[in-house]
Amino acid sequence: MPTLKKVAAILNPPAPHMVGDGFRVHNFFPSGYKIKMDPFYLLDYNAKIEFSPTNKLRGVGVHPHRGFETVTIAYHGAVAHHDSAGNSGVIYPGDVQWMTAASGILHKEYHEESYSKKGGPFQMVQLWVNLPARFKMSTPKYQALANENMAKYELPNGDGLVEVITGEYNGTKGSASTFTPIEMYNVRLNAGAKASLASPANYNTALIVIEGAITVNETEQATTNQMVHFAHEGSVIEIEAKENSVVLFLAGEPINEPIAQYGPFLMNKPEELQQAIEDYNTGKFGYLEE
């Protein structure tokens, strides 16, 4: 009989900071809280805020990445992306952008033009997903996951649905391909509804309450913008929505390799960081217009 996965901590969002002029984020890890979430290296959470209308495209200008993947999940607002591999796209509420920087890429991300002109609510999550050493210098790729095409599991009795970004929920396989085992879902529950989430004991596991309020494992309470971090005990998580709620669920098998990080580079050894800086400075990440 599966046992409940123990709650290690319920974490409030750390103080926010700006990334560029378009993203006001709470960094839950690695700087906000020193928690083990390998293969997830970083989680920036843009809690819901209002942006005023503007003709200026707020965002982050051209910058490099190497050695990992960026995953951007949209809840409110719209974000446009361009990169030096020729990929571009816009994500709207419910969509996900999964960019594998791997051997090196330049990209820029900013508020989509029509959203910028009208303004309104904005809410996003961005994750850095580490790559194992053997894949860090693989070819960059880009996965655009439109919500309308995303794998979904309808919960019984009209309780809500689970959008399976990657992994598998009750036989429904997620849309994104990954380099290591990862479970990532948006769980959308109506008030009073329940859902069970599975995560092996050794997986690093957390959930964020994007909207609403929930009870976890019948005893712990979590509300909007809080993160629930789980211990390496048990394999099942029970959640119940106290009101209409949206929960982002993250679980992954740890890579357990050394990490060397400098700015936008995430490698295994310091000398690999030096090589990344040299390659960037000599134009080996390609070209992207500001």
Side-chain angles (χ1 to χ4, degrees):
M1 187 77 178
T3 57
L4 291 176
K5 203 168 187 70
K6 184 180 178 181
V7 173
I10 296 179
L11 306 172
N12 291 319
H17 66 275
M18 292 300 296
V19 176
D21 63 358
F23 304 93
R24 181 179 179 271
V25 303
H26 308 268
N27 181 261
F28 273 100
F29 58 84
S31 62
Y33 296 97
K34 303 303 179 185
I35 58 176
K36 292 182 179 179
M37 280 300 294
D38 175 19
F40 309 104
Y41 179 77
L42 173 149
L43 192 153
D44 274 344
Y45 173 51
N46 192 130
K48 187 161 72 170
I49 58 171
E50 291 281 332
F51 276 105
S52 59
T54 179
N55 289 322
K56 179 183 182 296
L57 299 183
R58 301 180 177 103
V60 183
V62 175
H63 58 284
H65 288 304
R66 172 179 280 182
F68 64 100
E69 304 180 282
T70 65
V71 181
T72 307
I73 307 167
Y75 297 97
H76 292 279
V79 171
H81 160 93
H82 285 85
D83 66 44
S84 56
N87 301 302
S88 62
V90 178
I91 54 172
Y92 298 97
D95 298 344
V96 176
Q97 171 194 286
W98 198 299
M99 186 189 78
T100 305
S103 62
I105 205 166
L106 304 176
H107 82 144
K108 57 183 178 180
E109 44 202 339
Y110 47 90
H111 296 185
E112 183 270 335
E113 186 175 5
S114 62
Y115 165 75
S116 294
K117 287 181 176 179
K118 66 183 180 183
F122 189 86
Q123 187 178 23
M124 301 273 163
V125 167
Q126 186 170 95
L127 292 153
W128 288 14
V129 179
N130 194 18
L131 292 173
R134 67 186 184 277
F135 295 125
K136 282 189 178 292
M137 294 301 290
S138 57
T139 303
K141 69 175 185 176
Y142 179 80
Q143 300 176 78
L145 310 176
N147 188 265
E148 62 187 13
N149 301 322
M150 196 173 290
K152 298 181 178 72
Y153 178 87
E154 297 279 348
L155 295 167
N157 306 314
D159 281 353
L161 60 83
V162 178
E163 298 169 349
V164 189
I165 299 168
T166 193
E168 184 174 341
Y169 184 83
N170 282 4
T172 298
K173 294 185 178 181
S175 306
S177 64
T178 63
F179 290 81
T180 60
I182 290 173
E183 304 292 324
M184 188 183 299
Y185 326 136
N186 275 319
V187 184
R188 300 180 183 271
L189 295 177
N190 296 320
K194 297 180 180 180
S196 295
L197 303 166
S199 173
N202 68 310
Y203 277 31
N204 289 316
T205 306
L207 57 81
I208 299 177
V209 184
I210 302 295
E211 183 180 307
I214 61 172
T215 301
V216 182
N217 294 343
E218 299 184 347
T219 57
E220 305 283 353
Q221 310 297 318
T223 190
T224 304
N225 300 337
Q226 288 185 317
M227 172 182 281
V228 183
H229 185 230
F230 293 89
H232 291 150
E233 300 175 31
S235 59
V236 174
I237 299 162
E238 302 286 351
I239 60 175
E240 180 178 0
K242 298 166 71 175
E243 57 190 78
N244 291 350
S245 299
V246 179
V247 175
L248 174 62
F249 174 71
L250 304 169
E253 182 178 66
I255 297 170
N256 289 328
E257 291 179 348
I259 287 178
Q261 182 260 335
Y262 176 78
F265 307 128
L266 188 58
M267 306 302 289
N268 299 102
K269 302 174 184 177
E271 54 266 34
E272 294 169 337
L273 293 177
Q274 292 299 323
Q275 187 64 55
I277 294 167
E278 182 180 330
D279 289 349
Y280 169 64
N281 288 334
T282 54
K284 292 182 179 177
F285 283 45
Y287 174 77
L288 184 63
E289 186 176 351
E290 285 283 358

